[in-house]
Every structure is written in structure tokens, then in C-alpha cells.
Amino acid sequence: MKYRLGAVVILILGALLVWYVYQSEVSGSKKFRLGLDLSGGTQLLYKADTSAIAGDVEESMNALRETIERRVNLFGVAEPIVQREKGSSVAGEGEERLIIELPGVTDANEAIRQIGQTPVLEFRMLKEDAPQTASTTVNEQFGPAILTGRHISRAELQFGQAGGFSNEAVVVIHFNTEGRDIFAKTTKDNVGKVFGIFLDGTPISTPVINEAIPDGTAVISGSFTPDAARELVRNLNFGALPVPIDLVSTQTVSGTLGGEAVQDGVMAGLIGFAAVALFMILWYRLPGFVAILALSVYVILSLALFKLIPVTLTAAGIAAFILSIGMAVDANVLIFARMREELARGKDMEEAIHDGFARAWLSIRDSNISSIITAIILFWFGTSIIQGFALVFGLGVVISMFTAITVSRTFLLAIAPKKAGRMTKFLFGSGIKI
């Protein structure tokens, strides 16, 4: 009785998940998050120059991603994706990269121009033994960046009130807590030294530190016109880049091509599912039908999780999802084979189901763990496309293992007859032999 009640609960929960997935998709409240190859848009790949970073590169790269996110959000793009990518350590590159995906944006030049307006702000100390020849570069004269755009809380435009710059447009910067502490310590320890302020790699002010500045406020006076100072303030408030970036490549995918990829992927999934369902029912009969029910629960549970996490679905991700359906079927086939062996030994139906699942579990566990390890390795070392495949595949393997062991067993035990008659043996048999 408890198994039949459990089966009913699973079916009700499955129906609720179907309603959630359908309703959220139709109403647009929680649509599937599609990758650029499926939705169409522009992808920009930037390389970050971390050579001048004196502190934590990891923290600076996270600040860079957050700053670019704020900038691209100004485009009004629905769910832009900004993610870090580190060059493969296997290939020995170790290059820090930033991938920006803008769904629906097909004008790559405009996107590049908008992102290019994000300034790179750095504060760097003049080296004590810096050469002073005409051919000397900035990097040879100044040390690594001590303060960057990630340390700024806000900027404002002032005229002549700050720092004694009469009637001159100046930009006043207010540091965040971390930046204030660093600025206070740096100015205290380096009185009488030159502290250069660089904007996009160009020194715009090289003041001498006269005294410690503990209040976390700095003034940039760069002979600005009022309009130029106002634009700089606006861009700094949108976020100044903590790390210089160079555009490496652009890729534009049309919305039409992306829509066709979605349709083809959905069609491939439906055909694959129908073919698997037909085979399972014809070959494994009633257990095959139960496996298809469990598989349906697996599919709808996966789709719901894709929405809730959310997971960005790409063409590679859809391929991984279809592949994980095959893994779910494989577990059921193994269970049915063990169950049939137990029936052949003369056990009753319920005992055969319990023992069949117990014997199949070890093989299913080991097989799925090896697949999960593979997914973790692909996610750890792969590029963004490979990571998307690995995430969906790993998630699918975990869900399929859960549904194969729990849902399939509950359904089978719910319909298992007390006595195994001729019809029961036929329905729970397999193959073309009657």
C-alpha cells in the first residue's frame, strides 16, 4: 500500500512540475536561459593584462567581471552573461580572459564601443630608482598598481573647491573601506614621493604626497574640460576597470540561426525519447513502460532544475542532456536484467524486485560515479562550451541515478502482483520470447 501511495505522490509532484515548467515558459516569468548559440547575439572575448597587479589577481578579476556586468546591464540586454575563463593550465597558458555574451545584440561594434568607454583607473608609486630618459616607459618608471577601480565607491565633479584648483573642473574620488585603508597607509608611508594617477594607462596626474590622507578621498586634476570631467565621473560611477583588457575576438550569431538550433535540438530530443520509449515497451513490456514513466519524471525534474538554478542551455548542453537520458535508460535496463534473473530463480515478484535493485545498485553506482568524475574533470579544465556540457551532463547523471533507483523501484513495487501467473510472467518478461 505504501508503494502505491508513494507512486501517486510522485505522479502528483511530476504533474506539478509539468505545470510549473509550462506556465513559467508561457508567461515568461522564468524562461529557459539559452546560450548565445541558441538565442542569437554577440560574444566578445577579452584578454586581461594582470602583469601590473600587485595584490590578489583572483580578486581583481572578480572585480573586473562585476564592473563589466554593470556596464553591459546598461545596454538593456536581457540576461547578459559575463564570465571569467582561465587559459588551460594543461596548455601552459594560464591567461586570464573575460567572455561577454549579449543575447539579442547583433551590432558587435556598438557593444565594443560601449564597453570601451569603461575607464581603467590605477594609482601607482614612482620607483625610487626610476630612469628619467625620454625613452623610459611608464612601467619602467612606476611600480605596480596599488589602488584600482575596484577600490572606488563613487566619484563626483567639483569646481575649484577641492585641493585648491580654482575654477578648474576636478574629479573627486571616494574610496571604499578597503581602498581608504590602503590609501591612508600608502600616503602615510610615502610622504614626499610621487603617487601617479593613471587613466587608461596614461598618467593624468602625478602629485607629490604632502601628508597622510586618512579620509579615503583623492582628487584627480587633469586639466579637464567640464564635459570631459563629467563624462569621467559618469564612467567611474558605472565602474572603473581594475585590470586593462584587450579584445581578442568577436562572434555574432543571428537570432534565426539560434532559433533553428533550438528547434533542431528539441526535435532531436523528442525523436530520441520516442525511439527509446518504443524500444523499452516492446522489449521490456510492463517494466519498460514503468521505465518510461520514471524517465518522464527525470526529464521534467531536470527541466525544472534548469530553470531554478538556472542553467544556461547551449547546443552542447542539450546534447549532454540527451546523452544523460541514455544513461538513465541504461540503469533501468541493468535493473530489469537483474530482476529477471531473480524471477528465474523462483522468487516471488516483490522479492525479485528488491533483490534485482540491490544487485544492480553497485554497478549503477560505480558507472555513474565514473561519469560524474568525468564531468568534474571536463568542467574544471574545459572552456566555457565544455563547461556547459559538463554541468548539464553531471547534473543529468545525478538526477538519472536518483530517478532510476527511487522512482522506478516505487512504480514497480506499486504494480507488483502478489502471485506470478502466466500473464504476470509475460508482462514482466523481456525479449521476443512469450
Side-chain angles (χ1 to χ4, degrees), residues 128-359:
E128 293 184 356
D129 55 347
Q132 299 297 325
T133 61
S135 60
T136 305
T137 65
V138 169
N139 288 334
E140 289 173 334
Q141 288 185 312
F142 288 86
I146 297 174
L147 291 159
T148 67
R150 75 180 178 87
H151 297 107
I152 296 175
S153 64
R154 63 186 175 89
E156 59 181 311
L157 172 65
Q158 292 186 6
F159 290 92
Q161 289 87 353
F165 302 99
S166 179
N167 295 324
E168 181 183 353
V170 296
V171 177
V172 179
I173 293 175
H174 300 278
F175 292 110
N176 57 23
T177 303
E178 181 186 1
R180 183 193 61 199
D181 295 342
I182 296 174
F183 191 60
K185 185 177 187 308
T186 302
T187 53
K188 179 181 177 183
D189 296 344
N190 295 279
V191 173
K193 297 181 181 178
V194 174
F195 198 21
I197 304 174
F198 294 77
L199 192 64
D200 294 330
T202 302
I204 56 173
S205 181
T206 53
V208 176
I209 301 173
N210 294 321
E211 58 184 352
I213 306 175
D215 62 353
T217 301
V219 178
I220 303 176
S221 60
S223 300
F224 296 115
T225 65
D227 288 341
R230 189 174 294 107
E231 183 177 354
L232 177 59
V233 167
R234 185 197 65 184
N235 288 330
L236 288 176
N237 284 328
F238 286 156
L241 296 182
V243 181
I245 55 175
D246 292 319
L247 182 65
V248 176
S249 67
T250 64
Q251 180 184 2
T252 301
V253 180
S254 74
T256 303
L257 191 62
E260 291 176 354
V262 174
Q263 290 180 356
D264 292 345
V266 172
M267 184 59 66
L270 291 175
I271 292 174
F273 187 86
V276 169
L278 186 63
F279 167 76
M280 291 296 290
I281 292 173
L282 289 179
W283 194 262
Y284 288 100
R285 302 166 193 165
L286 191 55
F289 177 75
V290 168
I292 297 306
L293 280 180
L295 210 55
S296 300
V297 173
Y298 158 74
V299 170
I300 197 62
L301 181 58
S302 298
L303 294 178
L305 286 177
F306 290 164
K307 281 176 173 282
L308 292 171
I309 290 178
V311 174
T312 301
L313 290 175
T314 62
I318 290 178
F321 179 52
I322 295 174
L323 182 60
S324 65
I325 292 177
M327 298 285 292
V329 174
D330 184 56
N332 281 281
V333 168
L334 196 58
I335 291 167
F336 298 156
R338 295 288 180 267
M339 198 173 71
R340 187 179 57 186
E341 292 172 0
E342 297 302 324
L343 283 173
R345 292 175 182 174
K347 296 181 179 178
D348 62 38
M349 187 57 64
E350 188 169 327
E351 188 179 6
I353 292 173
H354 280 295
D355 292 348
F357 270 87
R359 288 182 56 203

